Amino acid sequence: SCFLLSLNDDSIEGIYESLGECARISKHAGGIGLHMHNLRATGSVIKSTGCTTEGLMPTLRVFNESSLLVKQAGKRPGSIAIYLSPDHADCERFIDMRRNHGEDRERCRDLFSGLWIPDKFMRAVSNDEKWYMFSPDTAPGLADVCGQEYDDLYDRYVREGKQRKVVNARDLWMRIISAQIETGTPYLTYKDAANRHNNQSNIGVIKSSNLCTEIMEVSTPEQIAVCNLASICLSQFFLQPLQTPVDPDSDLVSMLEACVDFDSLRRTTSAVVGALNSVIDNTLYPVDKARFSNLRH
């Protein structure tokens, strides 16, 4: 299974609670996707001490070392993908975190990185516009909305002057592409597309994908989403090769019925769904928040 987590809170307690959850999941061989949109950017004030925070990278370093310490079922290093929105003021450091050169304290080469990209950023790239970046302690809520709501909130923060950085969107895009060529990361995942197709919209806004980017589910500080996977090899249900290319004048339904053993496919699908339901009901959950999410949804 893969697990989708939220950083529980932008605090010492929240960070280390999330770290502990990641460690327990890795102990039982789970892959992890963790979004950190709500972590304050570098230079933000810590009210309890009057100091300023070092931002994203020192936090990620802790998760990086933990992934090496707590192996997946004791057999391979833990695997954690961190997701961040490009409107976060620490985004540029995040993009570079797996590069092969640079200071080690700015690198987390054992983590995977993913960008959670709103459509507004891609429009800014396309139109060669400026891109504004914020810290969630002074510009809260950007991760909690999508689509037009996101666009309106982003524009409001720009009007109010709450941005920490202003860059050219294409320059940031080229930095992303350069990092991808060198390291294969960051993953590119699209926030608005995911939420337009969200079949959990009654629960909330999807804020990340998982370790391998094949699922999109809602994760919050109260619940950790879990994916439970089974595969069906469709080629095993073909009675004869499907005509390709398909004749546009043919009856596609009739052609499929002649080529595919749908009765066997139905029986197999029913068996798979029953097995997955049993997994959800009876499996070992490494953290209670994952059990809560699976049994609820």
Side-chain angles (χ1 to χ4, degrees):
S1 293
C2 270
F3 297 75
L4 284 73
L5 289 76
S6 165
L7 184 68
N8 288 315
D9 185 45
D10 182 11
S11 66
I12 292 293
E13 294 77 15
I15 291 168
Y16 280 91
E17 182 183 356
S18 296
L19 181 67
E21 290 168 350
C22 289
R24 289 194 294 277
I25 290 168
S26 283
K27 176 183 176 182
H28 294 284
I32 296 165
L34 170 65
H35 60 80
M36 288 196 172
H37 313 301
N38 58 330
L39 187 71
R40 280 169 288 187
T42 305
S44 299
V45 175
I46 303 171
K47 294 180 180 178
S48 59
T49 63
C51 303
T52 56
T53 177
E54 293 296 320
L56 184 68
M57 294 313 299
T59 303
L60 292 186
R61 291 279 296 171
V62 175
F63 282 84
N64 185 92
E65 299 311 306
S66 178
S67 73
L68 298 176
L69 171 66
V70 186
K71 299 184 183 297
Q72 291 188 74
K75 296 177 181 179
R76 57 181 179 174
S79 291
I80 305 175
I82 306 294
Y83 286 86
L84 193 72
S85 176
D87 59 41
H88 195 285
D90 283 341
C91 181
E92 291 167 298
R93 299 169 70 190
F94 178 73
I95 291 166
D96 292 338
M97 78 177 192
R98 281 174 59 90
R99 285 189 180 272
N100 298 318
H101 53 84
E103 294 186 41
D104 283 347
R105 66 178 182 175
E106 289 291 308
R107 300 292 177 262
C108 297
R109 299 186 180 98
D110 301 294
L111 298 178
F112 297 90
S113 57
L115 289 173
W116 193 239
I117 302 174
D119 288 352
K120 190 172 182 67
F121 173 71
M122 298 310 301
R123 288 195 297 269
V125 172
S126 179
N127 298 328
D128 196 16
E129 296 172 347
K130 292 180 179 179
W131 182 248
Y132 298 86
M133 305 161 83
F134 309 88
S135 179
D137 59 325
T138 55
L142 287 169
D144 302 324
V145 290
C146 57
Q148 190 60 49
E149 285 185 86
Y150 173 86
D151 294 355
D152 292 343
L153 185 59
Y154 174 98
D155 290 339
R156 194 189 98 196
Y157 286 150
V158 172
R159 290 195 303 270
E160 294 173 354
K162 292 189 175 181
Q163 60 271 15
R164 289 281 186 89
K165 291 183 180 179
V166 184
V167 299
N168 180 276
R170 286 188 183 175
D171 290 343
L172 185 60
W173 181 245
M174 293 308 298
R175 187 166 184 163
I176 293 166
I177 299 303
S178 175
Q180 277 204 321
I181 291 169
E182 183 178 325
T183 69
T185 57
Y187 304 150
L188 302 182
T189 49
Y190 293 92
K191 171 182 182 174
D192 291 325
N195 280 285
R196 277 194 296 271
H197 298 89
N198 179 10
N199 62 0
Q200 295 182 310
S201 57
N202 60 307
I203 306 171
V205 173
I206 296 175
K207 297 181 181 180
S208 76
S209 185
N210 65 321
L211 175 65
C212 305
T213 71
E214 83 272 24
I215 60 164
M216 311 281 182
E217 293 183 283
V218 173
S219 52
T220 69
E222 293 74 39
Q223 56 187 8
I224 294 173
V226 189
C227 73
N228 307 272
L229 303 179
S231 299
I232 296 176
C233 183
L234 292 178
S235 64
Q236 299 301 303
F237 300 93
F238 275 85
L239 301 171
Q240 62 187 50
L242 184 65
Q243 177 186 338
T244 56
V246 175
D247 183 351
D249 297 324
S250 64
D251 182 346
L252 184 59
V253 173
S254 297
M255 187 169 65
L256 283 171
E257 288 177 342
C259 295
V260 179
D261 184 353
F262 281 107
D263 288 335
S264 293
L265 180 57
R266 288 188 192 97
R267 289 194 299 272
T268 300
T269 304
S270 178
V272 165
V273 170
L276 285 174
N277 284 339
S278 294
V279 167
I280 290 169
D281 289 341
N282 300 307
T283 192
L284 167 69
Y285 289 97
V287 288
D288 289 338
K289 292 179 183 179
R291 178 191 297 275
F292 172 76
S293 177
N294 253 17
L295 297 183
R296 185 179 186 188
H297 304 304

